[in-house]
Amino acid sequence: MLPVTVALLLVLNGGAPAQAPETVTLEAALAEATARAPGIAGAHAREALARGEVELARTVAPLAVSLGGGWNDPRWSVGLAQRLPAPGARGARVLAAEQGVLAAEGERRANEASVRAEARRAYFSLVHAKQLVATATRALEIARESEAAARLRFETGAAPELDVVQAGLARASAEAQLLTQQGEQAALCAELALLLGREPLRPLDPTDSGPPPLPPLEELLMRAGQAPLAQARQADLAAADATLRAARRERWPVPIVGVAVEGDGPRGAMVSLRGSLDLDVPLPGLGRGEVDRATASLHLAGALADEDRRRRLAELVAAHRRLSAALAALQRFPKEILPAAETSERMALESYRAGRSALASLNDARRAATDLRAQAADAALAAQAAFAALELAAGVALDEK
């Protein structure tokens, strides 16, 4: 059993007893997550890939070089041919690729906003776990004091042995609860470290625990149209429209211009210049697959943009209302609820020590105080989660100074 116990202690203490927790602020956590979280590098790579598509769209068809020779005229020939794009088609392809870059940039910024919201949730989940550890520690201290009081009263004949047994059971339960909360805190440390790109074995100590601000809803609704994901959807729509125009233009006859130098007569001594114009003419009614696909893509982009707009507005309103309610509830705990719970817990312990109340009353007061402290921590986490959802729907940082 000893190796198992040592391993458990190592896990609960972040992997090594000698390691001190690293202090991390919310600002630093958000900055590190935006730069190092999983998915960030991929978003940048997709944006770079989209920029490469612009250069590809600007590329013209390669020049065709022809060489010929024979015993009859022309004895030899050297020619060049260039396939020209349909009027407006190349410009539309370039525009579609440029809009693709804007869409990729919007997706990247939206991904950063998502990572930022996830990092905020992870950060304050760790703060919440830290608060629950403190609550469990406080509950254990009261349980130990209760057990000591019960033993003293039993030894003096003022209380039955049942009080000692029940007080010991409450103390053991509080110890188990503390171990559970410490394990959860260690697990949340590792999850936050993954987002920050840090060593997961090193424990983290979050320092910021203040309530988030409450931005005006009217301002958020005005900014909703400028969210990165909204801009990405609009860029997708513009790119699909440009692609459709290009596909339609490419149904036109495509000219191929050529020029050649030929040699006639004995040994090809008579040199002449010849020009040519060929047309690639699509067969009527055939080969419309790309046009049909581009039309469907345009309809899809419009539907996605509309759905995103409606969803974003609903998420903004819902998150704002949750945040408003959570902040109102959170204000009640430090002002009224927690001081009263502290007083009630202390009075119940003193009353039991003095023999004016039973142990059951003390246990009830201790459990109630522990539950209220946990509710305060839950309310703080709910406010931060609602603010993270609000930032995610807005697509921009809402608490930067």
Side-chain angles (χ1 to χ4, degrees), residues 24-366:
V24 55
T25 64
L26 176 62
E27 182 179 3
L30 296 179
E32 291 179 28
T34 305
R36 305 175 185 173
I40 292 295
H44 283 278
R46 285 188 291 272
E47 185 177 356
L49 179 61
R51 296 186 188 280
E53 293 292 334
V54 176
E55 297 303 319
L56 181 62
R58 288 174 178 164
T59 304
V60 297
L63 200 64
V65 179
S66 61
L67 300 175
W71 294 106
N72 57 343
D73 292 334
R75 298 300 178 91
W76 58 267
S77 65
V78 177
L80 299 175
Q82 176 65 59
R83 189 178 190 273
L84 302 179
R90 180 170 176 271
R93 292 290 184 186
V94 172
L95 177 60
E98 290 173 345
Q99 292 297 320
V101 172
L102 295 179
E105 181 182 357
E107 294 280 0
R108 188 257 303 164
R109 291 172 55 206
N111 186 63
E112 290 175 352
S114 177
V115 166
R116 182 183 173 90
E118 185 179 358
R120 177 181 287 274
R121 293 191 191 99
Y123 184 91
F124 283 102
S125 292
L126 182 56
V127 171
H128 178 257
K130 182 180 176 182
Q131 292 171 341
L132 292 184
V133 167
T135 296
T137 302
R138 172 62 180 165
L140 179 58
E141 292 174 356
I142 295 297
R144 286 172 175 170
E145 292 184 30
S146 301
E147 184 179 21
R151 184 172 289 106
L152 179 61
R153 293 193 63 198
F154 169 70
E155 292 173 353
T156 59
E161 186 178 4
L162 179 61
D163 280 11
V164 178
V165 175
Q166 291 179 337
L169 180 61
R171 185 260 311 152
S173 176
E175 289 176 343
Q177 185 65 27
L178 177 59
L179 286 173
T180 300
Q181 296 299 340
Q182 287 175 336
E184 181 66 15
Q185 182 180 9
L188 291 174
C189 273
E191 292 178 5
L192 179 59
L194 173 63
L195 289 175
L196 305 187
R198 296 194 181 192
E199 172 58 48
L201 293 178
R202 185 73 178 267
L204 301 175
D205 182 24
T207 59
D208 297 320
S209 58
L214 180 63
L217 181 59
E218 295 76 12
E219 177 186 343
L220 293 173
L221 293 177
M222 290 178 59
R223 299 171 65 179
Q226 300 302 317
L229 199 56
Q231 294 178 345
R233 296 287 82 84
Q234 290 301 319
D236 286 338
L237 187 60
D241 182 66
T243 300
L244 178 58
R245 289 202 312 271
R248 286 172 174 170
R249 294 292 180 88
E250 288 167 355
R251 293 286 300 163
W252 297 0
V254 178
I256 302 176
V257 179
V259 61
V261 178
E262 299 178 348
D264 297 326
R267 299 182 181 179
M270 298 176 59
V271 178
S272 60
L273 184 65
R274 184 185 299 275
S276 64
L277 175 62
D278 299 329
L279 293 176
D280 279 348
V281 181
L283 294 177
L286 299 178
R288 289 186 50 85
E290 187 173 359
V291 175
D292 294 340
R293 182 177 61 181
T295 303
S297 297
L298 179 60
H299 292 160
L300 176 61
L304 291 178
D306 182 65
E307 290 176 3
D308 177 74
R309 179 187 59 81
R310 291 187 285 111
R311 176 187 54 78
R312 185 169 54 257
L313 291 177
E315 289 178 351
L316 278 172
V317 173
H320 191 272
R321 290 177 178 173
R322 287 194 183 98
L323 177 58
S324 179
L327 289 175
L330 185 60
Q331 292 176 356
R332 303 290 298 275
F333 283 95
K335 293 181 178 179
E336 303 176 31
I337 299 175
L338 292 180
E342 187 80 18
T343 301
S344 175
E345 187 179 53
R346 180 53 57 184
M347 289 177 63
L349 180 59
E350 295 300 330
S351 178
Y352 178 73
R353 284 174 174 169
R356 295 191 300 269
S357 63
L359 179 63
S361 298
L362 173 57
N363 288 336
D364 290 341
R366 179 180 58 81

